[in-house]
Amino acid sequence: MSRLDETGAGLPDTFGRVAKDLRVSLTDRCNLRCTYCMPAEGLDWLPRPEMLTDDELVRVVDIFTQLGVHSVRLTGGEPLLRRGLPDIVRRFAELEHAPRIAMTTNGIGLDRLAGPLADAGLERINVSLDTIDPERFKELTRRDRFADVERGIKAAQDAGLKPVKINAVAMHDPHGKDNPAELLQWCLDRGLELRFIEQMPLDAGHTWERQKMFTGRELQELLGERFSLSPMPDEARGSAPAELFLVDGGPATVGLIASVTAPFCAACDRVRLTADGQVRNCLFARDENDLRGPLRAGATDEELADVIRANMLAKRRGHGIGEPDFKQPDRPMSAIGG
């Protein structure tokens, strides 16, 4: 038991959930301009002095691990843009209560960094990829980088990162050329685990409309026209966000993350740290708790832990999408961290 968690209670909220999974945003910057995330001209990035330094990141993650967090996922923006990333991963892996370390990335630059990251202690990786059609990719991301992503995925597999998962935001293709079943077959052919995600109201322009969203059930029906999908036992899911289905009897699976239409809030064990040092107990949290200010003012580890505990105790029962009082977060996904 750590010195900061003498009771062994970890990071509970008031609904019986305990946070064990920390999402760490390393930067709000990104080298893509996905249409459902940010405008073509980009956003106003955080000034570097406002971002946590490497030493500050390591100290805060150390506190979280002492409070019971055992899994850390590195996100962005695009985490591969963070300078010295392999060294940050190494320092996380050398903590006394070393967490399992994963990362979500768009894959650009992963061909160079997959090996060093694996050597440093990165275990798992998710690559965001919504289409395998290069022209559709260019349309969605406003960048012609599909070949770079392919190279990054291959490099991750060659480096021994396992599993390599593909995250795909489910969207209707107005041109009718993009079929999710083709993406699933592409992943099956390459030994990749595919997870489809319902589009959530986290865009910078606040233009998301529920009635235009491609739902998990619609996806299941569409995939079912080509593949036989059979549900995995509920106990196999645990706190994972994806509902898993065996594809053609298995062992391959496909996951549907229906965050909007079938939220998994009741089993949520996540907490988030933004690149500028704010603690968020939910992607859609209305409030944040500042760690950067107290940290730089000389706060002790116990004082910082108290800030984290207070944030978790304020966690709501659910994200509230669809409720009359729901408000989209002021920060877009790129500034919160996935």
Side-chain angles (χ1 to χ4, degrees), residues 34-37 129-131 136-137 139-141 167-174 176 178-180 183 196-200 208 212-215 218-219 222:
C34 296
T35 55
Y36 54 82
C37 185
L129 180 64
D130 303 323
T131 179
R136 176 69 170 154
F137 181 93
E139 176 187 344
L140 286 172
T141 67
N167 291 350
V169 175
M171 289 175 293
H172 292 285
D173 177 7
D178 209 10
N179 188 330
L183 176 56
F196 284 106
I197 306 170
E198 286 183 341
Q199 186 179 353
M200 294 178 283
W208 178 89
K212 295 182 179 179
M213 185 186 70
F214 204 174
T215 70
E218 289 175 322
L219 264 170
L222 182 61

PDB file of all heavy atoms in Angstrom, residues 34-37 129-131 136-137 139-141 167-174 176 178-180 183 196-200 208 212-215 218-219 222:
ATOM      1  N   CYS A  34      -9.056  16.611 -38.579  1.00  0.00           N
ATOM      2  CA  CYS A  34     -10.245  15.792 -38.821  1.00  0.00           C
ATOM      3  C   CYS A  34     -11.501  16.648 -38.741  1.00  0.00           C
ATOM      4  O   CYS A  34     -11.669  17.448 -37.811  1.00  0.00           O
ATOM      5  CB  CYS A  34     -10.308  14.643 -37.821  1.00  0.00           C
ATOM      6  SG  CYS A  34      -8.927  13.490 -37.989  1.00  0.00           S
ATOM      7  N   THR A  35     -12.381  16.455 -39.702  1.00  0.00           N
ATOM      8  CA  THR A  35     -13.546  17.328 -39.841  1.00  0.00           C
ATOM      9  C   THR A  35     -14.452  17.287 -38.620  1.00  0.00           C
ATOM     10  O   THR A  35     -15.123  18.276 -38.314  1.00  0.00           O
ATOM     11  CB  THR A  35     -14.358  16.917 -41.083  1.00  0.00           C
ATOM     12  OG1 THR A  35     -14.686  15.524 -40.991  1.00  0.00           O
ATOM     13  CG2 THR A  35     -13.558  17.152 -42.351  1.00  0.00           C
ATOM     14  N   TYR A  36     -14.506  16.150 -37.909  1.00  0.00           N
ATOM     15  CA  TYR A  36     -15.384  16.038 -36.746  1.00  0.00           C
ATOM     16  C   TYR A  36     -14.693  16.477 -35.448  1.00  0.00           C
ATOM     17  O   TYR A  36     -15.277  16.350 -34.371  1.00  0.00           O
ATOM     18  CB  TYR A  36     -15.886  14.593 -36.591  1.00  0.00           C
ATOM     19  CG  TYR A  36     -14.791  13.554 -36.551  1.00  0.00           C
ATOM     20  CD1 TYR A  36     -14.096  13.281 -35.377  1.00  0.00           C
ATOM     21  CD2 TYR A  36     -14.451  12.844 -37.688  1.00  0.00           C
ATOM     22  CE1 TYR A  36     -13.088  12.340 -35.351  1.00  0.00           C
ATOM     23  CE2 TYR A  36     -13.450  11.886 -37.663  1.00  0.00           C
ATOM     24  CZ  TYR A  36     -12.778  11.643 -36.496  1.00  0.00           C
ATOM     25  OH  TYR A  36     -11.779  10.703 -36.464  1.00  0.00           O
ATOM     26  N   CYS A  37     -13.470  16.985 -35.569  1.00  0.00           N
ATOM     27  CA  CYS A  37     -12.708  17.352 -34.378  1.00  0.00           C
ATOM     28  C   CYS A  37     -12.341  18.827 -34.339  1.00  0.00           C
ATOM     29  O   CYS A  37     -12.527  19.485 -33.320  1.00  0.00           O
ATOM     30  CB  CYS A  37     -11.444  16.498 -34.300  1.00  0.00           C
ATOM     31  SG  CYS A  37     -10.471  16.746 -32.796  1.00  0.00           S
ATOM     32  N   LEU A 129      -8.074   5.400 -37.103  1.00  0.00           N
ATOM     33  CA  LEU A 129      -8.142   5.280 -38.557  1.00  0.00           C
ATOM     34  C   LEU A 129      -9.590   5.018 -38.943  1.00  0.00           C
ATOM     35  O   LEU A 129     -10.142   3.975 -38.617  1.00  0.00           O
ATOM     36  CB  LEU A 129      -7.246   4.135 -39.049  1.00  0.00           C
ATOM     37  CG  LEU A 129      -7.226   3.889 -40.559  1.00  0.00           C
ATOM     38  CD1 LEU A 129      -6.650   5.094 -41.298  1.00  0.00           C
ATOM     39  CD2 LEU A 129      -6.430   2.625 -40.884  1.00  0.00           C
ATOM     40  N   ASP A 130     -10.205   5.966 -39.621  1.00  0.00           N
ATOM     41  CA  ASP A 130     -11.636   5.884 -39.911  1.00  0.00           C
ATOM     42  C   ASP A 130     -11.950   5.274 -41.269  1.00  0.00           C
ATOM     43  O   ASP A 130     -13.093   4.915 -41.534  1.00  0.00           O
ATOM     44  CB  ASP A 130     -12.260   7.281 -39.840  1.00  0.00           C
ATOM     45  CG  ASP A 130     -12.031   7.952 -38.504  1.00  0.00           C
ATOM     46  OD1 ASP A 130     -12.062   7.245 -37.481  1.00  0.00           O
ATOM     47  OD2 ASP A 130     -11.814   9.183 -38.474  1.00  0.00           O
ATOM     48  N   THR A 131     -10.961   5.178 -42.133  1.00  0.00           N
ATOM     49  CA  THR A 131     -11.189   4.675 -43.484  1.00  0.00           C
ATOM     50  C   THR A 131      -9.893   4.120 -44.052  1.00  0.00           C
ATOM     51  O   THR A 131      -8.797   4.539 -43.644  1.00  0.00           O
ATOM     52  CB  THR A 131     -11.712   5.796 -44.405  1.00  0.00           C
ATOM     53  OG1 THR A 131     -11.896   5.291 -45.727  1.00  0.00           O
ATOM     54  CG2 THR A 131     -10.745   6.966 -44.461  1.00  0.00           C
ATOM     55  N   ARG A 136     -10.792   9.205 -49.265  1.00  0.00           N
ATOM     56  CA  ARG A 136     -11.695   9.474 -48.149  1.00  0.00           C
ATOM     57  C   ARG A 136     -10.905   9.917 -46.922  1.00  0.00           C
ATOM     58  O   ARG A 136     -11.321  10.807 -46.182  1.00  0.00           O
ATOM     59  CB  ARG A 136     -12.521   8.224 -47.848  1.00  0.00           C
ATOM     60  CG  ARG A 136     -13.443   8.321 -46.648  1.00  0.00           C
ATOM     61  CD  ARG A 136     -14.593   9.267 -46.876  1.00  0.00           C
ATOM     62  NE  ARG A 136     -15.570   9.138 -45.791  1.00  0.00           N
ATOM     63  CZ  ARG A 136     -16.401  10.100 -45.417  1.00  0.00           C
ATOM     64  NH1 ARG A 136     -16.381  11.274 -46.024  1.00  0.00           N
ATOM     65  NH2 ARG A 136     -17.262   9.910 -44.443  1.00  0.00           N
ATOM     66  N   PHE A 137      -9.743   9.294 -46.693  1.00  0.00           N
ATOM     67  CA  PHE A 137      -8.869   9.691 -45.593  1.00  0.00           C
ATOM     68  C   PHE A 137      -8.474  11.159 -45.730  1.00  0.00           C
ATOM     69  O   PHE A 137      -8.527  11.931 -44.768  1.00  0.00           O
ATOM     70  CB  PHE A 137      -7.617   8.807 -45.567  1.00  0.00           C
ATOM     71  CG  PHE A 137      -6.668   9.121 -44.446  1.00  0.00           C
ATOM     72  CD1 PHE A 137      -6.748   8.447 -43.247  1.00  0.00           C
ATOM     73  CD2 PHE A 137      -5.687  10.105 -44.592  1.00  0.00           C
ATOM     74  CE1 PHE A 137      -5.873   8.733 -42.208  1.00  0.00           C
ATOM     75  CE2 PHE A 137      -4.806  10.405 -43.562  1.00  0.00           C
ATOM     76  CZ  PHE A 137      -4.898   9.706 -42.360  1.00  0.00           C
ATOM     77  N   GLU A 139     -10.041  13.457 -47.336  1.00  0.00           N
ATOM     78  CA  GLU A 139     -11.233  14.284 -47.143  1.00  0.00           C
ATOM     79  C   GLU A 139     -11.541  14.465 -45.661  1.00  0.00           C
ATOM     80  O   GLU A 139     -11.849  15.572 -45.207  1.00  0.00           O
ATOM     81  CB  GLU A 139     -12.416  13.634 -47.849  1.00  0.00           C
ATOM     82  CG  GLU A 139     -13.747  14.351 -47.644  1.00  0.00           C
ATOM     83  CD  GLU A 139     -14.910  13.564 -48.233  1.00  0.00           C
ATOM     84  OE1 GLU A 139     -14.664  12.644 -49.042  1.00  0.00           O
ATOM     85  OE2 GLU A 139     -16.061  13.872 -47.869  1.00  0.00           O
ATOM     86  N   LEU A 140     -11.440  13.379 -44.891  1.00  0.00           N
ATOM     87  CA  LEU A 140     -11.790  13.434 -43.476  1.00  0.00           C
ATOM     88  C   LEU A 140     -10.754  14.169 -42.641  1.00  0.00           C
ATOM     89  O   LEU A 140     -11.097  14.887 -41.697  1.00  0.00           O
ATOM     90  CB  LEU A 140     -11.962  12.013 -42.925  1.00  0.00           C
ATOM     91  CG  LEU A 140     -13.215  11.258 -43.331  1.00  0.00           C
ATOM     92  CD1 LEU A 140     -13.136   9.818 -42.856  1.00  0.00           C
ATOM     93  CD2 LEU A 140     -14.449  11.943 -42.743  1.00  0.00           C
ATOM     94  N   THR A 141      -9.477  13.978 -42.960  1.00  0.00           N
ATOM     95  CA  THR A 141      -8.405  14.524 -42.130  1.00  0.00           C
ATOM     96  C   THR A 141      -7.805  15.810 -42.677  1.00  0.00           C
ATOM     97  O   THR A 141      -7.027  16.466 -41.995  1.00  0.00           O
ATOM     98  CB  THR A 141      -7.268  13.508 -41.982  1.00  0.00           C
ATOM     99  OG1 THR A 141      -6.634  13.318 -43.256  1.00  0.00           O
ATOM    100  CG2 THR A 141      -7.778  12.169 -41.471  1.00  0.00           C
ATOM    101  N   ASN A 167      -8.979   2.338 -33.874  1.00  0.00           N
ATOM    102  CA  ASN A 167     -10.168   3.075 -33.445  1.00  0.00           C
ATOM    103  C   ASN A 167     -10.759   3.781 -34.656  1.00  0.00           C
ATOM    104  O   ASN A 167     -10.068   4.569 -35.311  1.00  0.00           O
ATOM    105  CB  ASN A 167      -9.821   4.133 -32.396  1.00  0.00           C
ATOM    106  CG  ASN A 167      -9.411   3.537 -31.065  1.00  0.00           C
ATOM    107  OD1 ASN A 167      -9.546   2.341 -30.843  1.00  0.00           O
ATOM    108  ND2 ASN A 167      -8.918   4.373 -30.176  1.00  0.00           N
ATOM    109  N   ALA A 168     -12.009   3.527 -34.944  1.00  0.00           N
ATOM    110  CA  ALA A 168     -12.661   4.160 -36.094  1.00  0.00           C
ATOM    111  C   ALA A 168     -13.932   4.857 -35.632  1.00  0.00           C
ATOM    112  O   ALA A 168     -14.811   4.220 -35.034  1.00  0.00           O
ATOM    113  CB  ALA A 168     -12.996   3.129 -37.161  1.00  0.00           C
ATOM    114  N   VAL A 169     -14.020   6.156 -35.893  1.00  0.00           N
ATOM    115  CA  VAL A 169     -15.246   6.881 -35.608  1.00  0.00           C
ATOM    116  C   VAL A 169     -16.264   6.512 -36.684  1.00  0.00           C
ATOM    117  O   VAL A 169     -15.988   6.613 -37.885  1.00  0.00           O
ATOM    118  CB  VAL A 169     -15.005   8.402 -35.589  1.00  0.00           C
ATOM    119  CG1 VAL A 169     -16.325   9.153 -35.406  1.00  0.00           C
ATOM    120  CG2 VAL A 169     -14.030   8.765 -34.481  1.00  0.00           C
ATOM    121  N   ALA A 170     -17.415   6.068 -36.256  1.00  0.00           N
ATOM    122  CA  ALA A 170     -18.445   5.616 -37.196  1.00  0.00           C
ATOM    123  C   ALA A 170     -19.150   6.810 -37.817  1.00  0.00           C
ATOM    124  O   ALA A 170     -19.735   7.633 -37.113  1.00  0.00           O
ATOM    125  CB  ALA A 170     -19.457   4.731 -36.467  1.00  0.00           C
ATOM    126  N   MET A 171     -19.084   6.903 -39.137  1.00  0.00           N
ATOM    127  CA  MET A 171     -19.694   8.028 -39.838  1.00  0.00           C
ATOM    128  C   MET A 171     -20.326   7.561 -41.137  1.00  0.00           C
ATOM    129  O   MET A 171     -19.855   6.618 -41.769  1.00  0.00           O
ATOM    130  CB  MET A 171     -18.642   9.097 -40.150  1.00  0.00           C
ATOM    131  CG  MET A 171     -18.157   9.860 -38.940  1.00  0.00           C
ATOM    132  SD  MET A 171     -16.827  10.980 -39.400  1.00  0.00           S
ATOM    133  CE  MET A 171     -15.568   9.790 -39.835  1.00  0.00           C
ATOM    134  N   HIS A 172     -21.388   8.227 -41.520  1.00  0.00           N
ATOM    135  CA  HIS A 172     -21.988   7.986 -42.823  1.00  0.00           C
ATOM    136  C   HIS A 172     -21.125   8.641 -43.895  1.00  0.00           C
ATOM    137  O   HIS A 172     -20.713   9.796 -43.751  1.00  0.00           O
ATOM    138  CB  HIS A 172     -23.398   8.579 -42.874  1.00  0.00           C
ATOM    139  CG  HIS A 172     -24.379   7.891 -41.982  1.00  0.00           C
ATOM    140  ND1 HIS A 172     -24.926   6.661 -42.282  1.00  0.00           N
ATOM    141  CD2 HIS A 172     -24.909   8.260 -40.792  1.00  0.00           C
ATOM    142  CE1 HIS A 172     -25.752   6.302 -41.313  1.00  0.00           C
ATOM    143  NE2 HIS A 172     -25.766   7.248 -40.395  1.00  0.00           N
ATOM    144  N   ASP A 173     -20.843   7.924 -44.948  1.00  0.00           N
ATOM    145  CA  ASP A 173     -20.095   8.485 -46.070  1.00  0.00           C
ATOM    146  C   ASP A 173     -21.092   9.049 -47.077  1.00  0.00           C
ATOM    147  O   ASP A 173     -21.859   8.295 -47.692  1.00  0.00           O
ATOM    148  CB  ASP A 173     -19.254   7.389 -46.728  1.00  0.00           C
ATOM    149  CG  ASP A 173     -18.491   7.880 -47.949  1.00  0.00           C
ATOM    150  OD1 ASP A 173     -18.505   9.104 -48.204  1.00  0.00           O
ATOM    151  OD2 ASP A 173     -17.901   7.043 -48.654  1.00  0.00           O
ATOM    152  N   PRO A 174     -21.115  10.369 -47.258  1.00  0.00           N
ATOM    153  CA  PRO A 174     -22.093  10.953 -48.179  1.00  0.00           C
ATOM    154  C   PRO A 174     -21.915  10.487 -49.623  1.00  0.00           C
ATOM    155  O   PRO A 174     -22.843  10.574 -50.424  1.00  0.00           O
ATOM    156  CB  PRO A 174     -21.839  12.454 -48.039  1.00  0.00           C
ATOM    157  CG  PRO A 174     -20.435  12.567 -47.533  1.00  0.00           C
ATOM    158  CD  PRO A 174     -20.238  11.381 -46.662  1.00  0.00           C
ATOM    159  N   GLY A 176     -21.045   7.352 -50.397  1.00  0.00           N
ATOM    160  CA  GLY A 176     -21.420   5.949 -50.481  1.00  0.00           C
ATOM    161  C   GLY A 176     -20.300   5.002 -50.860  1.00  0.00           C
ATOM    162  O   GLY A 176     -20.547   3.858 -51.235  1.00  0.00           O
ATOM    163  N   ASP A 178     -17.524   4.367 -48.783  1.00  0.00           N
ATOM    164  CA  ASP A 178     -16.821   3.867 -47.608  1.00  0.00           C
ATOM    165  C   ASP A 178     -17.721   2.913 -46.831  1.00  0.00           C
ATOM    166  O   ASP A 178     -18.715   3.325 -46.251  1.00  0.00           O
ATOM    167  CB  ASP A 178     -16.420   5.057 -46.725  1.00  0.00           C
ATOM    168  CG  ASP A 178     -15.174   4.775 -45.928  1.00  0.00           C
ATOM    169  OD1 ASP A 178     -14.525   3.759 -46.200  1.00  0.00           O
ATOM    170  OD2 ASP A 178     -14.855   5.573 -45.032  1.00  0.00           O
ATOM    171  N   ASN A 179     -17.383   1.637 -46.816  1.00  0.00           N
ATOM    172  CA  ASN A 179     -18.177   0.635 -46.125  1.00  0.00           C
ATOM    173  C   ASN A 179     -17.403   0.136 -44.904  1.00  0.00           C
ATOM    174  O   ASN A 179     -16.273  -0.358 -45.049  1.00  0.00           O
ATOM    175  CB  ASN A 179     -18.479  -0.537 -47.064  1.00  0.00           C
ATOM    176  CG  ASN A 179     -19.470  -1.520 -46.465  1.00  0.00           C
ATOM    177  OD1 ASN A 179     -19.537  -1.688 -45.255  1.00  0.00           O
ATOM    178  ND2 ASN A 179     -20.235  -2.173 -47.329  1.00  0.00           N
ATOM    179  N   PRO A 180     -17.971   0.245 -43.710  1.00  0.00           N
ATOM    180  CA  PRO A 180     -17.266  -0.230 -42.512  1.00  0.00           C
ATOM    181  C   PRO A 180     -16.833  -1.686 -42.601  1.00  0.00           C
ATOM    182  O   PRO A 180     -15.836  -2.071 -41.984  1.00  0.00           O
ATOM    183  CB  PRO A 180     -18.291  -0.020 -41.396  1.00  0.00           C
ATOM    184  CG  PRO A 180     -19.166   1.091 -41.888  1.00  0.00           C
ATOM    185  CD  PRO A 180     -19.250   0.889 -43.369  1.00  0.00           C
ATOM    186  N   LEU A 183     -13.344  -1.952 -43.863  1.00  0.00           N
ATOM    187  CA  LEU A 183     -12.345  -1.645 -42.838  1.00  0.00           C
ATOM    188  C   LEU A 183     -12.155  -2.849 -41.919  1.00  0.00           C
ATOM    189  O   LEU A 183     -11.019  -3.192 -41.562  1.00  0.00           O
ATOM    190  CB  LEU A 183     -12.771  -0.419 -42.034  1.00  0.00           C
ATOM    191  CG  LEU A 183     -11.870  -0.017 -40.860  1.00  0.00           C
ATOM    192  CD1 LEU A 183     -10.433   0.197 -41.310  1.00  0.00           C
ATOM    193  CD2 LEU A 183     -12.412   1.240 -40.180  1.00  0.00           C
ATOM    194  N   PHE A 196     -15.125   0.244 -33.392  1.00  0.00           N
ATOM    195  CA  PHE A 196     -15.885   1.368 -33.927  1.00  0.00           C
ATOM    196  C   PHE A 196     -16.412   2.196 -32.759  1.00  0.00           C
ATOM    197  O   PHE A 196     -16.873   1.651 -31.744  1.00  0.00           O
ATOM    198  CB  PHE A 196     -17.067   0.885 -34.773  1.00  0.00           C
ATOM    199  CG  PHE A 196     -16.686   0.392 -36.138  1.00  0.00           C
ATOM    200  CD1 PHE A 196     -16.685  -0.967 -36.425  1.00  0.00           C
ATOM    201  CD2 PHE A 196     -16.335   1.280 -37.141  1.00  0.00           C
ATOM    202  CE1 PHE A 196     -16.350  -1.432 -37.687  1.00  0.00           C
ATOM    203  CE2 PHE A 196     -15.985   0.829 -38.411  1.00  0.00           C
ATOM    204  CZ  PHE A 196     -15.997  -0.528 -38.682  1.00  0.00           C
ATOM    205  N   ILE A 197     -16.387   3.512 -32.918  1.00  0.00           N
ATOM    206  CA  ILE A 197     -16.810   4.430 -31.856  1.00  0.00           C
ATOM    207  C   ILE A 197     -17.901   5.349 -32.386  1.00  0.00           C
ATOM    208  O   ILE A 197     -17.739   5.968 -33.447  1.00  0.00           O
ATOM    209  CB  ILE A 197     -15.622   5.286 -31.366  1.00  0.00           C
ATOM    210  CG1 ILE A 197     -14.449   4.394 -30.948  1.00  0.00           C
ATOM    211  CG2 ILE A 197     -16.047   6.190 -30.213  1.00  0.00           C
ATOM    212  CD1 ILE A 197     -13.171   5.163 -30.676  1.00  0.00           C
ATOM    213  N   GLU A 198     -18.996   5.451 -31.678  1.00  0.00           N
ATOM    214  CA  GLU A 198     -20.020   6.428 -32.052  1.00  0.00           C
ATOM    215  C   GLU A 198     -19.456   7.840 -31.938  1.00  0.00           C
ATOM    216  O   GLU A 198     -18.726   8.154 -30.979  1.00  0.00           O
ATOM    217  CB  GLU A 198     -21.247   6.302 -31.141  1.00  0.00           C
ATOM    218  CG  GLU A 198     -22.110   5.094 -31.423  1.00  0.00           C
ATOM    219  CD  GLU A 198     -23.340   5.043 -30.545  1.00  0.00           C
ATOM    220  OE1 GLU A 198     -23.365   5.712 -29.491  1.00  0.00           O
ATOM    221  OE2 GLU A 198     -24.283   4.308 -30.899  1.00  0.00           O
ATOM    222  N   GLN A 199     -19.780   8.677 -32.908  1.00  0.00           N
ATOM    223  CA  GLN A 199     -19.305  10.060 -32.879  1.00  0.00           C
ATOM    224  C   GLN A 199     -19.955  10.791 -31.711  1.00  0.00           C
ATOM    225  O   GLN A 199     -21.173  10.764 -31.530  1.00  0.00           O
ATOM    226  CB  GLN A 199     -19.634  10.769 -34.191  1.00  0.00           C
ATOM    227  CG  GLN A 199     -19.035  12.165 -34.281  1.00  0.00           C
ATOM    228  CD  GLN A 199     -19.362  12.835 -35.603  1.00  0.00           C
ATOM    229  OE1 GLN A 199     -19.923  12.226 -36.494  1.00  0.00           O
ATOM    230  NE2 GLN A 199     -19.039  14.108 -35.715  1.00  0.00           N
ATOM    231  N   MET A 200     -19.129  11.452 -30.915  1.00  0.00           N
ATOM    232  CA  MET A 200     -19.608  12.122 -29.709  1.00  0.00           C
ATOM    233  C   MET A 200     -19.569  13.638 -29.866  1.00  0.00           C
ATOM    234  O   MET A 200     -18.832  14.171 -30.697  1.00  0.00           O
ATOM    235  CB  MET A 200     -18.756  11.691 -28.515  1.00  0.00           C
ATOM    236  CG  MET A 200     -18.900  10.228 -28.152  1.00  0.00           C
ATOM    237  SD  MET A 200     -17.825   9.739 -26.767  1.00  0.00           S
ATOM    238  CE  MET A 200     -16.231   9.621 -27.613  1.00  0.00           C
ATOM    239  N   TRP A 208     -22.148  18.924 -33.748  1.00  0.00           N
ATOM    240  CA  TRP A 208     -22.633  17.553 -33.637  1.00  0.00           C
ATOM    241  C   TRP A 208     -24.149  17.511 -33.510  1.00  0.00           C
ATOM    242  O   TRP A 208     -24.749  18.310 -32.785  1.00  0.00           O
ATOM    243  CB  TRP A 208     -21.991  16.902 -32.425  1.00  0.00           C
ATOM    244  CG  TRP A 208     -22.427  15.490 -32.129  1.00  0.00           C
ATOM    245  CD1 TRP A 208     -21.869  14.344 -32.614  1.00  0.00           C
ATOM    246  CD2 TRP A 208     -23.478  15.069 -31.254  1.00  0.00           C
ATOM    247  NE1 TRP A 208     -22.502  13.242 -32.092  1.00  0.00           N
ATOM    248  CE2 TRP A 208     -23.504  13.649 -31.257  1.00  0.00           C
ATOM    249  CE3 TRP A 208     -24.415  15.751 -30.469  1.00  0.00           C
ATOM    250  CZ2 TRP A 208     -24.410  12.908 -30.501  1.00  0.00           C
ATOM    251  CZ3 TRP A 208     -25.328  15.017 -29.727  1.00  0.00           C
ATOM    252  CH2 TRP A 208     -25.318  13.617 -29.744  1.00  0.00           C
ATOM    253  N   LYS A 212     -27.937  12.737 -36.812  1.00  0.00           N
ATOM    254  CA  LYS A 212     -27.080  12.419 -37.947  1.00  0.00           C
ATOM    255  C   LYS A 212     -25.995  11.397 -37.602  1.00  0.00           C
ATOM    256  O   LYS A 212     -25.200  11.022 -38.461  1.00  0.00           O
ATOM    257  CB  LYS A 212     -26.419  13.698 -38.465  1.00  0.00           C
ATOM    258  CG  LYS A 212     -27.411  14.707 -39.052  1.00  0.00           C
ATOM    259  CD  LYS A 212     -26.690  15.928 -39.596  1.00  0.00           C
ATOM    260  CE  LYS A 212     -27.666  16.926 -40.209  1.00  0.00           C
ATOM    261  NZ  LYS A 212     -26.986  18.129 -40.734  1.00  0.00           N
ATOM    262  N   MET A 213     -25.984  10.949 -36.358  1.00  0.00           N
ATOM    263  CA  MET A 213     -24.948  10.048 -35.884  1.00  0.00           C
ATOM    264  C   MET A 213     -25.186   8.623 -36.378  1.00  0.00           C
ATOM    265  O   MET A 213     -26.324   8.162 -36.460  1.00  0.00           O
ATOM    266  CB  MET A 213     -24.944  10.073 -34.351  1.00  0.00           C
ATOM    267  CG  MET A 213     -23.852   9.270 -33.703  1.00  0.00           C
ATOM    268  SD  MET A 213     -24.096   9.265 -31.908  1.00  0.00           S
ATOM    269  CE  MET A 213     -25.559   8.229 -31.787  1.00  0.00           C
ATOM    270  N   PHE A 214     -24.119   7.939 -36.719  1.00  0.00           N
ATOM    271  CA  PHE A 214     -24.161   6.533 -37.103  1.00  0.00           C
ATOM    272  C   PHE A 214     -24.120   5.722 -35.805  1.00  0.00           C
ATOM    273  O   PHE A 214     -23.124   5.734 -35.088  1.00  0.00           O
ATOM    274  CB  PHE A 214     -22.942   6.219 -37.966  1.00  0.00           C
ATOM    275  CG  PHE A 214     -23.100   5.036 -38.881  1.00  0.00           C
ATOM    276  CD1 PHE A 214     -22.113   4.735 -39.808  1.00  0.00           C
ATOM    277  CD2 PHE A 214     -24.209   4.215 -38.828  1.00  0.00           C
ATOM    278  CE1 PHE A 214     -22.230   3.647 -40.668  1.00  0.00           C
ATOM    279  CE2 PHE A 214     -24.353   3.130 -39.672  1.00  0.00           C
ATOM    280  CZ  PHE A 214     -23.361   2.841 -40.592  1.00  0.00           C
ATOM    281  N   THR A 215     -25.199   5.043 -35.456  1.00  0.00           N
ATOM    282  CA  THR A 215     -25.275   4.389 -34.163  1.00  0.00           C
ATOM    283  C   THR A 215     -24.610   3.018 -34.173  1.00  0.00           C
ATOM    284  O   THR A 215     -24.405   2.396 -35.224  1.00  0.00           O
ATOM    285  CB  THR A 215     -26.738   4.212 -33.719  1.00  0.00           C
ATOM    286  OG1 THR A 215     -27.370   3.228 -34.563  1.00  0.00           O
ATOM    287  CG2 THR A 215     -27.506   5.522 -33.799  1.00  0.00           C
ATOM    288  N   GLU A 218     -26.848   0.431 -35.846  1.00  0.00           N
ATOM    289  CA  GLU A 218     -26.795   0.518 -37.308  1.00  0.00           C
ATOM    290  C   GLU A 218     -25.525  -0.152 -37.832  1.00  0.00           C
ATOM    291  O   GLU A 218     -25.546  -0.858 -38.848  1.00  0.00           O
ATOM    292  CB  GLU A 218     -26.840   1.981 -37.752  1.00  0.00           C
ATOM    293  CG  GLU A 218     -28.193   2.647 -37.558  1.00  0.00           C
ATOM    294  CD  GLU A 218     -28.154   4.130 -37.890  1.00  0.00           C
ATOM    295  OE1 GLU A 218     -27.140   4.789 -37.579  1.00  0.00           O
ATOM    296  OE2 GLU A 218     -29.138   4.623 -38.460  1.00  0.00           O
ATOM    297  N   LEU A 219     -24.417   0.079 -37.143  1.00  0.00           N
ATOM    298  CA  LEU A 219     -23.158  -0.547 -37.534  1.00  0.00           C
ATOM    299  C   LEU A 219     -23.237  -2.066 -37.427  1.00  0.00           C
ATOM    300  O   LEU A 219     -22.780  -2.787 -38.321  1.00  0.00           O
ATOM    301  CB  LEU A 219     -22.029  -0.032 -36.637  1.00  0.00           C
ATOM    302  CG  LEU A 219     -21.197   1.117 -37.160  1.00  0.00           C
ATOM    303  CD1 LEU A 219     -20.308   1.655 -36.062  1.00  0.00           C
ATOM    304  CD2 LEU A 219     -20.369   0.674 -38.354  1.00  0.00           C
ATOM    305  N   LEU A 222     -25.120  -3.378 -40.314  1.00  0.00           N
ATOM    306  CA  LEU A 222     -24.375  -3.279 -41.561  1.00  0.00           C
ATOM    307  C   LEU A 222     -23.265  -4.326 -41.632  1.00  0.00           C
ATOM    308  O   LEU A 222     -23.090  -5.004 -42.654  1.00  0.00           O
ATOM    309  CB  LEU A 222     -23.793  -1.874 -41.703  1.00  0.00           C
ATOM    310  CG  LEU A 222     -23.024  -1.577 -42.990  1.00  0.00           C
ATOM    311  CD1 LEU A 222     -23.929  -1.739 -44.201  1.00  0.00           C
ATOM    312  CD2 LEU A 222     -22.465  -0.148 -42.953  1.00  0.00           C
TER     313      LEU A 222
END
